[in-house]
Amino acid sequence: MPPITTKPRFIIHGGAGAITRSNLSPDTYLIYSASLLEINRQTASRLSAGATALDAATEAMRWLEDCEWFNCGRGSVFTRDGRVECEASG
């Protein structure tokens, strides 16, 4: 049986809620999109340089927290039911 080889994969998202392409202006959509693509690029670069998956994920979270377009690590939002919830597993 041939050895199993895997390539690292990662997925990030810019948040949950009502942020959709249809309710953003074209300029704002481009800013969000470019920010996520840059964070993906930086994370891929770290993985290619030999970073562990944990280190790369930690860096991706840090970049999301530092990006002014996302509220990662800044607080909670209202649910559709009007309750405040915070998902902090990252």
Side-chain angles (χ1 to χ4, degrees):
M1 178 182 271
I4 297 173
T5 59
T6 59
K7 292 183 181 180
R9 301 281 187 247
F10 54 90
I11 299 170
I12 62 170
H13 68 88
I19 301 172
T20 64
R21 188 173 189 164
S22 64
N23 67 12
L24 297 175
S25 72
D27 289 342
T28 301
Y29 174 80
L30 288 174
I31 291 169
Y32 274 96
S33 179
S35 297
L36 289 172
L37 289 171
E38 178 60 18
I39 292 167
N40 272 333
R41 187 197 64 73
Q42 291 175 357
T43 304
S45 176
R46 293 272 293 144
L47 288 169
S48 294
T52 66
L54 179 59
D55 287 343
T58 300
E59 285 297 313
M61 289 294 296
R62 188 171 294 124
W63 289 318
L64 281 165
E65 288 172 351
D66 290 344
C67 182
E68 65 181 302
W69 293 98
F70 305 106
N71 69 349
C72 179
R74 290 193 197 144
S76 303
V77 295
F78 286 102
T79 65
R80 281 185 229 148
D81 299 327
R83 293 180 312 167
V84 175
E85 289 184 8
C86 182
E87 196 290 305
S89 63

